[in-house]
Amino acid sequence: MAGAWQERFDGLDAYSQTVAAVASAITPSVAGLHSSSEWGDAAGSAVVFTADGFMLTNAHVIGRATDGTARFADGTSAPFTVVGTDPLSDLAVVRAAGQTPPPVQLGDSDRLVVGQLVVAVGNPLGLAGSVTAGVVSGLGRSLPARSGNAARIIEDVIQTDAALNPGNSGGALADSRGVVVGVNTAVAGVGLGLAIPINATTRRIIDSLVGHGRVRRAFLGLVTIPAPLPDKLAERTGQDTGLRVVDVVRQSPAARAGLHRGDLVLTAGGSPVRDAQGLQRLMFAEAIGRPLQITVTRNGALVDVIAEPEELRDSPR
């Protein structure tokens, strides 16, 4: 950067220049959200991600509210309406009325590496435009989420030591280029913050919320845990782990397909399944009512079954 920015930050060390540049770029596009519902008042942060006022935040920030007020770092405010929420990913989309600051650029968290610099921008404790910096402390973490009787594991959660406090939820986690790679969601302990990743799965969820106000998911009815494959089978398949079935929901698609407790799931839809996320990635709207071939090993033999996932029904907001 040149001109006024260069004069302002001349003399800063390289680290400080990077953090200051990211803060300058991102802070105007991060709003403080305030809403009320029969369940009480709620507050958090949100990030403008389109030029026409769509903002990304956490589902738990919105709760059961349908509207509220967004306040930006420059002192302006705008009413917003809730477009859609998805508690099973802890993501929500709201839309501000009128003119909003320029949108941020959404990146790809799959390119992050442990130790990489990240900057968190949000409104902790109601303090607008607060900035903290740290590093990516860990990748591939998981975070359980629940909506009514439905449960899901949020995959590939980003762990960071950038300080997060109540009110940071829904704010931006950006890389050194000012590209948003995560949505801050939880404070797990001192020096331990978590963020929902911006990746291909997240983008599908965001698109569904913008277009339909909700996310349709498929349901199989399997309860599984990762388990190693026997050595000979691992050598034959080139796959080290699968999913051990520990329970099958009664009258579920999995039960009707003939899957049993103790089965070791190897593939689904022709793709290797090494962990719960591998199966979850298939459980979106296009899988509902369509035959899904699942290969398991049972008593030393390979068994193919065909299941037809149903639509997952969870409780309303």
Side-chain angles (χ1 to χ4, degrees):
M1 296 185 181
W5 188 94
Q6 190 64 47
E7 291 177 10
R8 185 178 179 186
F9 296 108
D10 248 359
L12 293 179
D13 60 273
Y15 174 86
S16 298
Q17 285 193 13
T18 299
V19 174
V22 173
S24 179
I26 298 296
T27 300
S29 303
V30 177
L33 296 189
H34 302 268
S35 61
S36 299
S37 71
E38 59 182 313
W39 297 83
D41 296 336
S45 305
V47 186
V48 179
F49 70 96
T50 72
D52 51 353
F54 284 95
M55 298 189 291
L56 186 60
T57 184
N58 287 144
H60 79 260
V61 167
I62 297 302
R64 294 178 179 266
T66 58
D67 54 27
T69 303
R71 298 189 175 96
F72 297 96
D74 63 1
T76 62
S77 63
F80 72 81
T81 55
V82 177
V83 176
T85 67
D86 181 44
L88 292 179
S89 64
D90 198 20
L91 291 173
V93 171
V94 304
R95 191 175 191 182
Q99 189 171 2
T100 57
V104 300
Q105 179 184 346
L106 298 181
D108 182 3
S109 62
D110 289 346
R111 299 182 179 180
L112 291 175
V113 297
V114 173
Q116 181 175 341
L117 170 68
V118 284
V119 178
V121 181
N123 299 273
L125 307 174
L127 302 173
S130 293
V131 177
T132 57
V135 298
V136 175
S137 305
L139 293 167
R141 306 304 193 213
S142 60
L143 187 67
R146 180 171 290 276
S147 178
N149 293 324
R152 181 177 182 268
I153 299 296
I154 304 173
E155 61 183 275
D156 298 329
V157 171
I158 304 163
Q159 178 188 333
T160 176
D161 66 352
L164 302 178
N165 292 287
N168 265 119
S169 287
L173 187 72
D175 65 16
S176 60
R177 300 172 299 148
V179 175
V180 174
V181 292
V183 179
N184 301 319
T185 190
V187 183
V190 177
L192 178 58
L194 301 174
I196 304 299
I198 301 296
N199 56 23
T201 301
T202 304
R203 288 176 182 274
R204 291 180 67 182
I205 292 169
I206 295 169
D207 289 346
S208 186
L209 289 174
V210 171
H212 308 289
R214 67 189 185 103
V215 178
R216 294 182 68 207
R217 285 192 174 86
F219 168 70
L220 268 179
L222 288 178
V223 180
T224 62
I225 58 172
L229 268 61
D231 291 341
K232 288 184 178 180
L233 185 58
E235 184 178 348
R236 175 180 169 186
T237 62
Q239 185 174 333
D240 294 328
T241 59
L243 287 179
R244 179 72 67 187
V245 177
V246 296
D247 200 7
V248 180
V249 177
R250 292 182 61 187
Q251 300 181 339
S252 67
R256 289 193 293 271
L259 289 166
H260 300 158
R261 184 182 300 177
D263 286 347
L264 184 60
V265 180
L266 302 179
T267 67
S271 299
V273 174
R274 296 179 173 87
D275 51 31
Q277 293 88 341
L279 199 53
Q280 267 183 189
R281 291 187 187 102
L282 302 175
M283 294 294 103
F284 281 93
E286 59 269 23
I288 298 170
R290 294 188 176 183
L292 178 70
Q293 180 175 316
I294 299 174
T295 301
V296 304
T297 178
R298 179 185 301 163
N299 299 324
L302 293 180
V303 178
D304 290 329
V305 302
I306 302 295
E308 290 192 8
E310 299 174 345
E311 183 167 1
L312 175 65
R313 304 287 183 179
D314 56 25
S315 61
R317 288 196 307 118

